[in-house]
Amino acid sequence: MNMVEIIEKKKLGKTLSQDEITYFVQGAADGSIPDYQLAALLMAIRLNGMNREETAQLTLAMTNSGDVCDLSSLNGIPVDKHSTGGVGDTTTLVLAPLVAACGVPVAKMSGRGLGHTGGTLDKMESISGLSVSMSEEAFLQQVKEIGVAVIGQSKNLAPADKTLYALRDVTSTVDSLPLIASSIVSKKLASGAQGIVLDVKTGAGALMHTLDASIELAQVMVRIGCDAGRKMVALVTDMGEPLGSHVGNALEVKEAIDVLSRRVKGPLLTVSLELGARLLMLGEAAETVEQAKEMLTEALESGRGLETLRKMIAAQGGDPSCCDDVTRLPQAKVIQDVLSASSGYIQHMDTIGLGNTAQAMGAGRRTKEDVIDPSVGFVLHKRIGDPVAEGEPLATLYAKDEQSAAIAAKAITEQIHVDARPVPACKLIHAFVTEETIERF
Ligand code: URA
Ligand code: CA
């Protein structure tokens, strides 16, 4: 096999064979193909695309470039949910305990924060003592015992993706549908779940900004998953503004606990129930979305969801007392309101900007070496469409010092746009996508 010929073929817009795809993916995983040739091929793929077969073959080759987790010893159909990345998007911590409390095993491998988006692992690590790394045996044992475990991806999960993603990041080739789809789905297939619900975000804060592009990405990914023999569906959900009101690691854990303690309802719960219902259906615990939502609501209202979260935290070495007293989570030194400079309605939000503000406060990393401050972030008091009066709080900041609070306050007043004209609230769920169908809401 000759890498120059493979690059040449894709440069001319031709279709790569399965052998050619397997060859360069293996070369990416084992380091035998130099970065400059991989980068040239990635740009050719970005410019000329890949058809459905090529994209599926690329995904499977990436899945098989490393370890594939075997969950077949679990009772029932293990399920997992994956979000393409959002701000204030804490659905995992709400739905994983609820779904497990309804009898469907949740064996979830999560990621860390990336760019402006938060990561479940970073959020969980704000709980004192909690660990997100464990052996495959311990992972399986925990799922058998309490029905749920949320851990980090093993080091050797889809190693080809690690190489290719790092190159894409620095060669302007992230925004390619076949490259995004294969990157995401290869990791989900390797993590072993049989039923997978994708939460594809759409809007200003998402990977794909338009609804049509988000639906297309969702369907490409679902088809790859189904072709690979897994049960996969996708919901396209809104990221025109943060999903929950809390942004920041310990703050998002607090919001998930508030929801599971039935102190708070709202968009985070709505989207969590919607995603969780699809997981129960893939896990064959419910026949209809309505039935599934009733089961999840019962688990919420009986307190079994919160109890399952408590058990999961304890099983992973964390202090579960935060479930009963959220002030046991890390607390920020400086707490300060951000006031609206004018009266009117919230028109729109710069969601990526808000994510970057949280990151700059210390809630995310700018370089791999950065250490996260779990206590910092902010709570938004308004959603798009809400009326606001001059001098009313738009947000409350949780900062490490006065200077960081001042910088964040200035940024947030620019990232939340207030204007006299009333606008409608954002729709939360835009579409449901299966292998064959697209249902728009
Ligand atoms: N997330 C991934 O894991 N891969 C991509 O390509 C984009 C988002
Ligand atoms: Ca087995």
Side-chain angles (χ1 to χ4, degrees):
M1 206 70 70
N2 180 329
M3 189 60 186
V4 178
E5 284 169 13
I6 297 175
I7 298 168
E8 170 87 4
K9 219 170 149 183
K10 191 42 81 182
K11 180 183 80 179
L12 298 173
K14 294 184 183 159
T15 302
L16 300 181
S17 71
Q18 178 157 15
D19 287 347
E20 288 163 339
I21 290 170
T22 307
Y23 174 79
F24 85 77
V25 170
Q26 272 310 320
D30 65 22
S32 60
I33 299 175
D35 285 355
Y36 49 82
Q37 289 185 319
L38 291 171
L41 179 62
L42 289 169
M43 184 58 82
I45 293 172
R46 163 63 182 80
L47 296 175
N48 289 326
M50 279 185 146
N51 66 28
R52 180 171 172 177
E53 286 70 35
E54 287 176 293
T55 309
Q57 286 161 359
L58 174 60
T59 308
L60 291 181
M62 285 165 66
T63 303
N64 294 322
S65 70
D67 298 340
V68 177
C69 194
D70 179 5
L71 303 178
S72 61
S73 66
L74 296 173
N75 290 324
I77 299 169
V79 298
D80 190 358
K81 180 237 39 159
H82 180 81
S83 158
T84 58
V87 180
D89 179 22
T90 322
T91 59
T92 294
L93 293 178
V94 176
L95 67 79
L98 289 175
V99 169
C102 292
V104 172
V106 182
K108 181 152 175 49
M109 290 194 187
S110 281
R112 299 211 173 259
L114 191 71
H116 70 283
T117 68
T120 301
L121 301 182
D122 297 325
K123 296 172 200 178
M124 289 174 66
E125 281 177 348
S126 64
I127 299 169
S128 167
L130 188 139
S131 166
V132 293
S133 56
M134 63 175 89
S135 68
E136 193 171 323
E137 297 75 57
F139 178 57
L140 289 168
Q141 194 55 34
Q142 182 176 324
V143 178
K144 279 176 199 160
E145 277 167 19
I146 60 176
V148 55
V150 179
I151 64 166
Q153 292 162 355
S154 74
K155 276 211 176 58
N156 197 33
L157 192 101
D161 180 63
K162 289 199 179 74
T163 305
L164 295 176
Y165 195 87
L167 285 173
R168 287 166 60 209
D169 208 19
V170 293
T171 57
S172 188
T173 50
V174 170
D175 62 339
S176 153
L177 197 139
L179 295 178
I180 294 172
S182 56
S183 167
I184 292 173
V185 178
S186 64
K187 285 174 283 192
K188 283 293 110 180
L189 296 180
S191 66
Q194 291 302 312
I196 298 158
V197 175
L198 300 174
D199 179 8
V200 178
K201 301 292 181 188
T202 192
L207 215 50
M208 298 290 178
H209 301 316
T210 70
L211 182 55
D212 286 340
S214 304
I215 288 176
E216 190 187 2
L217 173 63
Q219 195 155 47
V220 167
M221 293 197 288
V222 165
R223 284 181 170 162
I224 298 168
C226 294
D227 287 350
R230 308 292 173 91
K231 301 202 227 184
M232 196 182 282
V233 298
L235 281 165
V236 178
T237 71
D238 197 75
M239 203 28 79
E241 64 189 321
L243 176 59
S245 56
H246 291 47
V247 180
N249 296 288
L251 289 167
E252 293 184 47
V253 173
K254 172 190 174 290
E255 186 170 25
I257 293 170
D258 284 344
V259 168
L260 289 172
S261 307
R262 304 172 308 286
R263 285 190 287 272
V264 171
K265 289 197 164 75
L268 175 61
L269 177 60
T270 304
V271 173
S272 299
L273 291 177
E274 210 50 67
L275 291 164
R278 312 293 173 166
L279 288 168
L280 287 190
M281 290 171 72
L282 294 188
E284 295 179 1
E287 303 257 312
T288 64
V289 179
E290 291 66 37
Q291 186 197 358
K293 281 192 198 162
E294 274 172 32
M295 291 168 68
L296 293 166
T297 304
E298 195 282 323
L300 175 73
E301 286 174 356
S302 65
R304 286 189 297 120
L306 183 64
E307 183 54 29
T308 305
L309 178 66
R310 213 182 261 122
K311 284 187 190 155
M312 179 178 94
I313 291 170
Q316 296 187 212
D319 175 7
S321 69
C322 61
C323 293
D324 307 295
D325 177 5
V326 290
T327 65
R328 299 191 60 116
L329 291 165
Q331 302 291 310
K333 293 198 185 66
V334 175
I335 300 176
Q336 198 180 97
D337 283 339
V338 181
L339 307 180
S340 180
S342 57
S343 296
Y345 297 86
I346 310 293
Q347 300 291 311
H348 59 96
M349 295 193 197
D350 171 3
T351 311
I352 293 178
L354 288 167
N356 286 334
T357 297
Q359 183 197 47
M361 293 176 80
R365 298 176 191 81
R366 256 160 304 180
T367 66
K368 269 194 291 200
E369 288 69 38
D370 277 357
V371 177
I372 282 181
D373 181 342
S375 70
V376 302
F378 48 83
V379 176
L380 299 174
H381 301 303
K382 299 287 175 187
R383 296 190 72 80
I384 291 174
D386 284 351
V388 60
E390 185 184 334
E392 198 185 345
L394 290 172
T396 301
L397 297 171
Y398 295 79
K400 65 172 188 284
D401 55 33
E402 300 283 346
Q403 190 196 2
S404 160
I407 294 168
K410 181 167 182 295
I412 287 178
T413 51
E414 287 162 7
Q415 287 154 352
I416 300 180
H417 299 260
V418 177
D419 196 85
R421 178 174 50 92
V423 293
C426 292
K427 191 189 270 186
L428 290 173
I429 315 281
H430 293 278
F432 176 62
V433 176
T434 69
E435 190 180 7
E436 303 294 344
T437 62
I438 295 168
E439 188 183 348
R440 289 175 187 253
F441 301 111

